[in-house]
Amino acid sequence: MDVTFLGAAGEVTGSMHLLDTGKDKILFDCGMFQGRRKESKEKNKTFNIDRTRITNMILSHAHIDHSGRIPVLTADGFSGRVVTTRPTADALEYMLMDSGHIQESDAQYLNYKSLRSFLRQLENNNVKQSVSNREKTNIKKLLKKNPYELNIDVIHKLQNQYELDIVTPLYTMNEARQSLGFIDGYPFHYPVTIGEHTTVKFYVAGHILGSAFSVVTIKRNDKTSRILYTGDIGRFGKPILKDPTLVFDEEDRDIDLFITESTYGDREHEPVEDLASRLKKVLNDTFERGGSVIIPSFAFGRTQELIYILHELYDKGEVPRRPVYVDSPLASNITRVFGEHPEAYDKETHETFLEKGKNPFHFDKIRFVQTVEESMRLTKDNSSSHVVISASGMCEAGRILHHLRYRVHDPKNTILLVGYMAENTLGRRIEELGAKASESGNTGEAPEIKILGKTYPLHAKVEKISGFSAHADKHELEKIITQSNLRIKKIGVVHGEETQSAAFAKRLQQKGYETIIPKPGDKISL
């Protein structure tokens, strides 16, 4: 019996691990790699295992770096089930469809850009001079049905005519829709059969709505083995959701292999109680400058937390009541899912909102932006201060890119980062450049940032509130291991950059735990 680590080993995206019990092959997560476009594309389309031999899959939670390749899994020979919690199953109906839409849209946009560039070059070669603005406009008109919609049929026809490379999506919305039929949602603390004499039981992980610790029990020849896979671990004392589980059922306490994330294995977060005050200061400072606050945010979890705290600040009158725009159809749908699962809320949320007849995620100043036309109008609205919360959280895709390209050049505005930015993402680049500018006192020439292929000066103020992270910091990660009632024999440290995993593993080793940091392809035998 062994576990092979296939993704998020030595990195923080593409979570996927394979348990081979000798009778069954059980997959933990099936996440999408995020980072450099070319490298991620190759990783995402490559499956290192035969999908027809996978018995079932366990999904820890719905974030795309853990769930995003489910349509790739189910499209080619997989005949098992994806077993997860009920809130996660509900969220996946929107998450995977949105991911399929992004895959298609990104491919279409890249095809449009390459064809437009080719046609301009072709025109340039024909007339032996630069392409005029009128000719550029004519090319745009040819390739677009209107300012917001590409003419896909014409683009593909011309690509074929000129024998140009065509970018294809990792999967389509239709393939994402078909994958939903493989997903089963179950309650917490309920043993689910996933193989021969093999069950999984879910415990609250506190990371996002529905996120779970998965305890897998395998019984063979009067011997029982257990693996606990954390997925991503949440923080303690944050609003909305219950804290991560520390007390496990007696029959689940003995863990042979504990597989833990280590995203912040060597970092400390700001105290949870400081989140509202830090957000209050950023809002007030920006509004006083006459600017707007642009917040790249994960549609699932982070957005709802921001809405919750903004609701509290507005109700208390601690910030000017400027409009708050949630510019992400996915975030709007996920907020609806939150509203359908009050059983997941903590005591504070019930006392602050539900018992007073209030919805935590709706108030008079919030607007949920749906259409592309509405979003485009909002990007160009500089007439008054407001807040924009938009996906994606690491600024790699989605509507946030357009808000950034229209706002980064104005020093009145603030780009507020409220989560982890992985290496090689636009979000990490903004974070690093913003920190460098702040260290120099924002003097000298503004750094430049490339967004959607065009370079912009980064004049906007960049702020970061790390306490909003949905990931446990080093103390909270350690708390799950040392302060829970678990008895752990061996620990595998995954889902972290090398420095974070190494530091966390060292701390655990110093406390007497047998700890391993697997690399992609490594196995741990039980």
Side-chain angles (χ1 to χ4, degrees), residues 124-138:
N124 186 28
N125 292 339
N126 287 339
V127 299
K128 306 299 183 185
Q129 61 183 12
S130 297
V131 180
S132 68
N133 288 333
R134 177 178 292 180
E135 287 162 336
K136 290 179 182 179
T137 300
N138 289 337

Side-chain angles (χ1 to χ4, degrees), residues 237-339:
K238 288 190 72 178
I240 305 176
L241 298 178
K242 295 175 182 177
D243 286 349
T245 301
L246 290 175
V247 179
F248 293 79
D249 295 340
E250 182 61 36
E251 65 268 21
D252 294 329
R253 291 180 62 188
D254 292 303
I255 304 298
D256 296 278
L257 177 61
F258 185 95
I259 305 171
T260 178
E261 67 121 321
S262 57
T263 310
Y264 288 106
D266 195 31
R267 296 174 186 158
E268 295 181 71
H269 292 319
E270 297 172 33
V272 169
E273 56 269 21
D274 289 347
L275 294 180
S277 61
R278 291 274 284 113
L279 180 58
K280 171 185 171 181
K281 185 176 189 312
V282 170
L283 293 173
N284 285 329
D285 289 350
T286 306
F287 293 158
E288 284 178 14
R289 297 196 303 266
S292 294
V293 180
I294 310 302
I295 311 177
S297 176
F298 293 113
F300 192 173
R302 194 67 40 77
T303 292
Q304 290 74 35
E305 190 175 354
L306 285 163
I307 293 171
Y308 182 102
I309 295 177
L310 285 166
H311 192 169
E312 283 192 305
L313 290 173
Y314 278 41
D315 277 0
K316 294 175 181 177
E318 295 187 4
V319 296
R321 295 176 62 82
R322 302 287 189 261
V324 176
Y325 297 97
V326 179
D327 190 8
S328 165
L330 174 61
S332 301
N333 289 325
I334 293 298
T335 303
R336 191 177 303 118
V337 174
F338 264 78

Side-chain angles (χ1 to χ4, degrees), residues 76-333:
D76 191 10
F78 175 72
S79 58
R81 308 300 297 168
V82 176
V83 178
T84 189
T85 66
R86 285 176 175 170
T88 296
D90 290 346
L92 285 175
E93 293 186 25
Y94 301 109
M95 295 289 286
L96 293 181
M97 290 295 289
D98 182 75
S99 180
H101 173 69
I102 288 173
Q103 303 303 314
E104 289 190 72
S105 298
D106 282 357
Q108 291 167 0
Y109 185 71
L110 289 171
N111 287 326
Y112 161 72
K113 281 185 64 178
S114 64
L115 178 59
R116 187 181 66 180
S117 177
F118 172 80
L119 292 177
R120 287 178 179 176
Q121 185 62 44
L122 189 67
E123 189 71 26
N124 186 28
N125 292 339
N126 287 339
V127 299
K128 306 299 183 185
Q129 61 183 12
S130 297
V131 180
S132 68
N133 288 333
R134 177 178 292 180
E135 287 162 336
K136 290 179 182 179
T137 300
N138 289 337
I139 290 172
K140 276 188 178 181
K141 285 182 178 179
L142 174 69
L143 304 182
K144 285 190 171 185
K145 291 182 179 180
N146 56 57
Y148 312 106
E149 185 179 4
L150 299 176
N151 195 330
I152 304 303
D153 291 338
V154 169
I155 291 171
H156 284 176
K157 180 180 177 181
L158 289 172
Q159 284 181 304
N160 289 322
Q161 178 182 330
Y162 291 109
E163 299 181 343
L164 301 176
D165 290 337
I166 298 177
V167 178
T168 57
L170 180 64
Y171 51 84
T172 64
M173 289 182 68
N174 188 50
E175 289 169 325
R177 184 180 295 107
Q178 290 175 346
S179 75
L180 297 175
F182 290 81
I183 298 167
D184 295 332
Y186 291 91
F188 287 91
H189 302 279
Y190 177 84
V192 182
T193 299
I194 54 173
E196 185 176 331
H197 304 298
T198 304
T199 61
V200 64
K201 189 189 293 184
F202 297 118
Y203 290 85
V204 172
H207 175 61
I208 58 171
L209 182 75
S211 63
F213 298 141
S214 306
V215 177
V216 176
T217 302
I218 309 107
K219 295 182 178 180
R220 292 284 186 276
N221 302 323
D222 298 325
K223 176 177 172 55
T224 299
S225 301
R226 287 186 187 84
I227 297 170
L228 191 155
Y229 173 57
T230 67
D232 288 347
I233 301 172
R235 300 200 62 195
F236 289 83
K238 288 190 72 178
I240 305 176
L241 298 178
K242 295 175 182 177
D243 286 349
T245 301
L246 290 175
V247 179
F248 293 79
D249 295 340
E250 182 61 36
E251 65 268 21
D252 294 329
R253 291 180 62 188
D254 292 303
I255 304 298
D256 296 278
L257 177 61
F258 185 95
I259 305 171
T260 178
E261 67 121 321
S262 57
T263 310
Y264 288 106
D266 195 31
R267 296 174 186 158
E268 295 181 71
H269 292 319
E270 297 172 33
V272 169
E273 56 269 21
D274 289 347
L275 294 180
S277 61
R278 291 274 284 113
L279 180 58
K280 171 185 171 181
K281 185 176 189 312
V282 170
L283 293 173
N284 285 329
D285 289 350
T286 306
F287 293 158
E288 284 178 14
R289 297 196 303 266
S292 294
V293 180
I294 310 302
I295 311 177
S297 176
F298 293 113
F300 192 173
R302 194 67 40 77
T303 292
Q304 290 74 35
E305 190 175 354
L306 285 163
I307 293 171
Y308 182 102
I309 295 177
L310 285 166
H311 192 169
E312 283 192 305
L313 290 173
Y314 278 41
D315 277 0
K316 294 175 181 177
E318 295 187 4
V319 296
R321 295 176 62 82
R322 302 287 189 261
V324 176
Y325 297 97
V326 179
D327 190 8
S328 165
L330 174 61
S332 301
N333 289 325

